[in-house]
Each structure stands twice: as C-alpha cells, then as structure tokens.
Amino acid sequence: MSTKPIWSFLLVDPNIVSGKSIASQLAYYGYTVHRENNGRDAINYLNSHKRSTDLILIDDKIDDIPAKKIAAVFNKLNPNIPIIILSAKKKTSSTKTVLPDGIIGYIKRPLRTDRLLSLIAKGLHLN
C-alpha cells in the first residue's frame, strides 16, 4: 500500500478571505496549510516548526515587515524551505532573472491553480 506524503505549508497573507481561499484550495489537493496574517507571527511559527514546514507562500502586501525581508529571515531559519511570493504585480520571469535566496518564484494574483501547483511541484521537487 502506497501512501502519499503529507506536505505542510505556511501561508502568510494579511487578507483573511484570500488566505482562507488559498488554504482550502490547497487542502483540496492534499496539502495542509497553516495561515498567519503578519510577518512577526509567521516568523514565530516557523521558528517553532522549522522541520515540519515544507513550503512557504508569502503575500507581497504584508503590513509589518516587507515580504523580501521575511523571506530572508525564513531562509536563515531554514534555507531548505522553498518560498513562493504571491504578488499583485507582474514579475518578469526570464532565465537571466536571479531570485533572492530561498525564493523559487513569483505568482501573480489572481492565482491560477495550475500555475500555483506547478510552482509548488517545482519547490517540492515533484516534477
């Protein structure tokens, strides 16, 4: 009998409705998601769950700490956890673009499920 691994994500999104929507969408695909609304709580959570968090999704509109600074802190806590930035702005994705440490990609809102799942698969080395 083969069992599918349970992947655990941290979602940092100040918008409660958006966060619930993303969490339920990912739960449908078998992922567990812990949500935090701000950077400080997210850092505290990750500090306690470094080994059980497999992937992090960060909205770029965090109020208390800029998303790139949060990503840098997360990368120091555990450099093996891939990070995806959720953004309202379009990011250019060329082969010459160098992403900051730990960040595997950006995804534009509104989220397209296929693109989100593709980035998640890349981060978890499932493809």
Side-chain angles (χ1 to χ4, degrees):
M1 182 173 159
S2 171
T3 59
K4 192 169 146 183
I6 297 173
W7 300 100
S8 180
F9 300 165
L10 170 60
L11 171 63
V12 188
D13 190 344
N15 184 320
I16 294 170
V17 174
S18 170
K20 283 182 181 179
S21 175
I22 294 168
S24 66
Q25 189 177 30
L26 291 173
Y28 175 81
Y29 289 98
Y31 301 113
T32 56
V33 180
H34 177 82
R35 293 186 350 254
E36 291 294 348
N37 298 328
N38 62 62
R40 292 188 199 295
D41 290 343
I43 290 168
N44 289 336
Y45 175 83
L46 187 64
N47 201 29
S48 302
H49 298 86
K50 292 177 210 171
R51 293 180 181 218
S52 62
T53 303
D54 300 304
L55 186 128
I56 300 169
L57 299 122
I58 306 172
D59 187 272
D60 68 347
K61 299 278 188 209
I62 304 293
D63 295 329
D64 61 341
I65 305 172
K68 287 187 181 180
K69 285 189 179 185
I70 296 170
V73 171
F74 287 163
N75 196 44
K76 284 182 184 177
L77 290 172
N78 186 339
N80 298 318
I81 300 175
I83 300 167
I84 297 171
I85 302 290
L86 310 174
S87 178
K89 302 173 193 168
K90 182 172 179 152
K91 300 286 180 187
T92 57
S93 61
S94 70
T95 54
K96 295 179 184 179
T97 302
V98 177
L99 296 172
D101 286 342
I103 297 175
I104 61 165
Y106 293 87
I107 187 162
K108 186 180 181 304
R109 288 182 183 264
L111 300 181
R112 281 191 37 190
T113 304
D114 59 331
R115 289 185 180 162
L116 179 59
L117 293 175
S118 176
L119 264 178
I120 289 170
K122 175 184 172 185
L124 299 176
H125 306 289
L126 300 176
N127 26 338

